[in-house]
Amino acid sequence: MNARIAPSAEISVDPDAIARSARTVIATEAAAIRALEPRVNGDFVRACRLILGCQGRLVVSGMGKSGHIGRKIAATLASTGTPAFFVHPGEASHGDLGMITPQDVVLVLSNSGETDELLFILPVIKRQNIPLIAITGNPKSSLAGQADVHLDASVSTEACPLGLAPTASTTAALVIGDALAIALLEARGFTSEDFARSHPAGSLGRRLLLHISDVMHTGEGIPRVGPDANLTLALMEMTRKHLGMTAVVDADDHLLGVFTDGDLRRALDDDGVDLRGATVASLMSRSPKTITADKLAVEAAQLMEKHQIHALLVVDEQQHVVGALNIHDLLRARVV
């Protein structure tokens, strides 16, 4: 039981004291991070070389708060081009060690460097000659001594005023993990397209992976009329296909122009236009903006924004109409 925690009604809140406490934590953890910079040395480079040379996966492990940090590091590495996963050290000694192969590299985290659960599984890892990287707060610890590479995450003080709760130490370990991930990302030449492939459901994934061909209307869904169609036929086609425009094509589906809601409004405002007898060819825009099916959907959004239009025709290299889309298609696909 948390017998010493008083009910909230009995706690006297001093806003200035709370602000001072928060600023102290931030300053303490910022100082811990700054102290890491000089430690990016040959050991850090050796750790990166071990991981870059790994033929399997980077296996991350840690206990308690270090385990939480380890999970985040593994996730960051996996999403930035370094295949990685987390293994709980307690579960490892009860069968999960079978997840680790001689082709892997192991990264362990422990502030003390004396975590029993990690030390218990080290002999098995060492017998398989699996490279071991340790991030600890104690360079003289057992883990540091048995590691092939030790990365020093020691801090002068925790942000916790009791010196008990892992705060600055876990932040330091997390920053070292991020530094590894980004150094490896750049060494591999990892690109935003690579990142998107591991984040297909995210906004970046949609922007970088979704193509025009994935969202465009095709076949009978494309609004199109011939150049001799009258205004009534053109409007009926626009109404049926719900894209706010229709392509004007010849007998071979070669694009001649586009007739849009805007063209209709301009025709209505022009007293010189015979709306009953006019053909759509006389009212259409003859140089419409188009896009090809292999382009990214985000490029269609950019083209629409640049030219202040709401729909596009999709053409092939011979200017045959193969698709159509409007801004609502991009909104449904969450590209914009």
Side-chain angles (χ1 to χ4, degrees), residues 31-43:
I33 293 172
R34 285 193 296 270
L36 296 175
E37 191 172 354
R39 303 178 202 166
V40 179
N41 49 26
D43 289 333

PDB file of all heavy atoms in Angstrom, residues 31-43:
ATOM      1  N   ALA A  31      22.071  18.395 -18.751  1.00  0.00           N
ATOM      2  CA  ALA A  31      23.495  18.287 -18.422  1.00  0.00           C
ATOM      3  C   ALA A  31      23.995  16.861 -18.642  1.00  0.00           C
ATOM      4  O   ALA A  31      25.125  16.642 -19.115  1.00  0.00           O
ATOM      5  CB  ALA A  31      23.735  18.717 -16.978  1.00  0.00           C
ATOM      6  N   ALA A  32      23.150  15.881 -18.310  1.00  0.00           N
ATOM      7  CA  ALA A  32      23.528  14.483 -18.525  1.00  0.00           C
ATOM      8  C   ALA A  32      23.717  14.189 -20.008  1.00  0.00           C
ATOM      9  O   ALA A  32      24.650  13.466 -20.396  1.00  0.00           O
ATOM     10  CB  ALA A  32      22.463  13.558 -17.936  1.00  0.00           C
ATOM     11  N   ILE A  33      22.879  14.759 -20.836  1.00  0.00           N
ATOM     12  CA  ILE A  33      22.999  14.556 -22.280  1.00  0.00           C
ATOM     13  C   ILE A  33      24.264  15.227 -22.814  1.00  0.00           C
ATOM     14  O   ILE A  33      25.009  14.650 -23.619  1.00  0.00           O
ATOM     15  CB  ILE A  33      21.747  15.083 -23.003  1.00  0.00           C
ATOM     16  CG1 ILE A  33      20.532  14.233 -22.637  1.00  0.00           C
ATOM     17  CG2 ILE A  33      21.957  15.081 -24.514  1.00  0.00           C
ATOM     18  CD1 ILE A  33      19.219  14.783 -23.136  1.00  0.00           C
ATOM     19  N   ARG A  34      24.521  16.458 -22.359  1.00  0.00           N
ATOM     20  CA  ARG A  34      25.728  17.160 -22.828  1.00  0.00           C
ATOM     21  C   ARG A  34      26.996  16.388 -22.470  1.00  0.00           C
ATOM     22  O   ARG A  34      27.970  16.385 -23.230  1.00  0.00           O
ATOM     23  CB  ARG A  34      25.776  18.569 -22.231  1.00  0.00           C
ATOM     24  CG  ARG A  34      24.804  19.547 -22.881  1.00  0.00           C
ATOM     25  CD  ARG A  34      25.138  20.982 -22.472  1.00  0.00           C
ATOM     26  NE  ARG A  34      24.955  21.173 -21.037  1.00  0.00           N
ATOM     27  CZ  ARG A  34      23.814  21.562 -20.477  1.00  0.00           C
ATOM     28  NH1 ARG A  34      22.744  21.779 -21.233  1.00  0.00           N
ATOM     29  NH2 ARG A  34      23.713  21.724 -19.170  1.00  0.00           N
ATOM     30  N   ALA A  35      26.985  15.713 -21.332  1.00  0.00           N
ATOM     31  CA  ALA A  35      28.159  14.963 -20.905  1.00  0.00           C
ATOM     32  C   ALA A  35      28.435  13.756 -21.795  1.00  0.00           C
ATOM     33  O   ALA A  35      29.536  13.195 -21.768  1.00  0.00           O
ATOM     34  CB  ALA A  35      27.988  14.511 -19.453  1.00  0.00           C
ATOM     35  N   LEU A  36      27.447  13.345 -22.596  1.00  0.00           N
ATOM     36  CA  LEU A  36      27.627  12.177 -23.464  1.00  0.00           C
ATOM     37  C   LEU A  36      28.461  12.486 -24.701  1.00  0.00           C
ATOM     38  O   LEU A  36      29.123  11.599 -25.251  1.00  0.00           O
ATOM     39  CB  LEU A  36      26.260  11.648 -23.922  1.00  0.00           C
ATOM     40  CG  LEU A  36      25.324  11.098 -22.849  1.00  0.00           C
ATOM     41  CD1 LEU A  36      23.985  10.731 -23.481  1.00  0.00           C
ATOM     42  CD2 LEU A  36      25.938   9.895 -22.156  1.00  0.00           C
ATOM     43  N   GLU A  37      28.430  13.733 -25.131  1.00  0.00           N
ATOM     44  CA  GLU A  37      29.061  14.067 -26.417  1.00  0.00           C
ATOM     45  C   GLU A  37      30.534  13.685 -26.486  1.00  0.00           C
ATOM     46  O   GLU A  37      30.978  13.086 -27.473  1.00  0.00           O
ATOM     47  CB  GLU A  37      28.861  15.554 -26.723  1.00  0.00           C
ATOM     48  CG  GLU A  37      29.243  15.929 -28.138  1.00  0.00           C
ATOM     49  CD  GLU A  37      28.858  17.355 -28.482  1.00  0.00           C
ATOM     50  OE1 GLU A  37      28.186  18.014 -27.652  1.00  0.00           O
ATOM     51  OE2 GLU A  37      29.248  17.810 -29.575  1.00  0.00           O
ATOM     52  N   PRO A  38      31.347  13.975 -25.470  1.00  0.00           N
ATOM     53  CA  PRO A  38      32.760  13.581 -25.559  1.00  0.00           C
ATOM     54  C   PRO A  38      32.977  12.071 -25.559  1.00  0.00           C
ATOM     55  O   PRO A  38      34.062  11.603 -25.901  1.00  0.00           O
ATOM     56  CB  PRO A  38      33.387  14.215 -24.299  1.00  0.00           C
ATOM     57  CG  PRO A  38      32.414  15.251 -23.842  1.00  0.00           C
ATOM     58  CD  PRO A  38      31.079  14.748 -24.239  1.00  0.00           C
ATOM     59  N   ARG A  39      31.962  11.303 -25.193  1.00  0.00           N
ATOM     60  CA  ARG A  39      32.100   9.847 -25.138  1.00  0.00           C
ATOM     61  C   ARG A  39      31.814   9.178 -26.483  1.00  0.00           C
ATOM     62  O   ARG A  39      31.863   7.958 -26.586  1.00  0.00           O
ATOM     63  CB  ARG A  39      31.164   9.276 -24.071  1.00  0.00           C
ATOM     64  CG  ARG A  39      31.402   9.862 -22.685  1.00  0.00           C
ATOM     65  CD  ARG A  39      30.409   9.300 -21.688  1.00  0.00           C
ATOM     66  NE  ARG A  39      30.267  10.196 -20.533  1.00  0.00           N
ATOM     67  CZ  ARG A  39      29.298  10.108 -19.643  1.00  0.00           C
ATOM     68  NH1 ARG A  39      28.366   9.171 -19.760  1.00  0.00           N
ATOM     69  NH2 ARG A  39      29.227  10.959 -18.636  1.00  0.00           N
ATOM     70  N   VAL A  40      31.466   9.965 -27.474  1.00  0.00           N
ATOM     71  CA  VAL A  40      31.319   9.410 -28.819  1.00  0.00           C
ATOM     72  C   VAL A  40      32.734   9.269 -29.376  1.00  0.00           C
ATOM     73  O   VAL A  40      33.310  10.197 -29.939  1.00  0.00           O
ATOM     74  CB  VAL A  40      30.448  10.313 -29.709  1.00  0.00           C
ATOM     75  CG1 VAL A  40      30.341   9.730 -31.115  1.00  0.00           C
ATOM     76  CG2 VAL A  40      29.065  10.479 -29.091  1.00  0.00           C
ATOM     77  N   ASN A  41      33.292   8.090 -29.193  1.00  0.00           N
ATOM     78  CA  ASN A  41      34.700   7.858 -29.506  1.00  0.00           C
ATOM     79  C   ASN A  41      34.853   6.555 -30.279  1.00  0.00           C
ATOM     80  O   ASN A  41      33.914   6.089 -30.933  1.00  0.00           O
ATOM     81  CB  ASN A  41      35.512   7.824 -28.207  1.00  0.00           C
ATOM     82  CG  ASN A  41      34.873   6.893 -27.178  1.00  0.00           C
ATOM     83  OD1 ASN A  41      34.164   5.957 -27.546  1.00  0.00           O
ATOM     84  ND2 ASN A  41      35.121   7.144 -25.898  1.00  0.00           N
ATOM     85  N   GLY A  42      36.020   5.952 -30.153  1.00  0.00           N
ATOM     86  CA  GLY A  42      36.270   4.706 -30.866  1.00  0.00           C
ATOM     87  C   GLY A  42      35.329   3.585 -30.473  1.00  0.00           C
ATOM     88  O   GLY A  42      34.980   2.737 -31.313  1.00  0.00           O
ATOM     89  N   ASP A  43      34.922   3.531 -29.204  1.00  0.00           N
ATOM     90  CA  ASP A  43      33.986   2.498 -28.773  1.00  0.00           C
ATOM     91  C   ASP A  43      32.651   2.633 -29.498  1.00  0.00           C
ATOM     92  O   ASP A  43      32.047   1.635 -29.910  1.00  0.00           O
ATOM     93  CB  ASP A  43      33.756   2.584 -27.259  1.00  0.00           C
ATOM     94  CG  ASP A  43      34.971   2.136 -26.467  1.00  0.00           C
ATOM     95  OD1 ASP A  43      35.749   1.322 -27.003  1.00  0.00           O
ATOM     96  OD2 ASP A  43      35.144   2.612 -25.327  1.00  0.00           O
TER      97      ASP A  43
END
